[in-house]
Amino acid sequence: MSVPYVLVACLCARWCGVCRDYAGVFAQVATRFPQARFCWIDVEDQAELVDPVDVDNFPTLLIAQGASPAFFGTVPPHAGALERLVQECVHGGATRVAEGRDLPALVDRLRSLSD
């Protein structure tokens, strides 16, 4: 059984020092998961893409398996935390998704960026 396409999106802001520091970690972890699509989204510069989803803290990750969100939330800005989350999703494990969000539509918009 194959695992659906995995999308890993980091929702950050250019002005955020933690995000700037995390960009290198995010890119490094991306090289370890060639089967997943990693994308960096600036929530202000690309607000039309992210709206109406609110991002309150940074870094916030959205991870989807196929068209289904599997994780949405703030994570510690460490490679190990990101690797564990991606590993779970790549192997079909569910993590957590906040209820009542417009995440499936955001996943569709983000997936269209990579098509």
Side-chain angles (χ1 to χ4, degrees):
M1 179 166 96
S2 66
V3 174
Y5 168 97
V6 174
L7 171 73
V8 182
C10 185
L11 307 172
C12 276
R14 183 182 355 196
W15 56 261
C16 174
V18 172
C19 293
R20 285 192 305 270
D21 293 344
Y22 190 59
V25 171
F26 189 79
Q28 182 182 38
V29 172
T31 65
R32 296 187 192 121
F33 296 94
Q35 69 275 44
R37 163 75 164 97
F38 283 70
C39 58
W40 189 269
I41 306 297
D42 187 300
V43 298
E44 291 180 346
D45 292 346
Q46 296 171 286
E48 73 287 346
L49 185 65
V50 178
D51 287 343
V53 174
D54 291 323
V55 177
D56 297 324
N57 293 303
F58 302 115
T60 292
L61 292 181
L62 170 59
I63 303 176
Q65 296 168 314
S68 301
F71 177 88
F72 181 76
T74 306
V75 296
H78 305 290
L82 176 57
E83 285 184 43
R84 281 188 301 278
L85 282 171
V86 175
Q87 190 72 26
E88 287 179 22
C89 289
V90 164
H91 293 295
T95 48
R96 69 180 171 105
V97 175
E99 296 296 322
R101 298 197 181 254
D102 187 29
L103 296 177
L106 178 56
V107 169
D108 285 343
R109 292 190 299 273
L110 294 175
R111 289 186 66 196
S112 70
L113 292 176
S114 64
D115 292 342

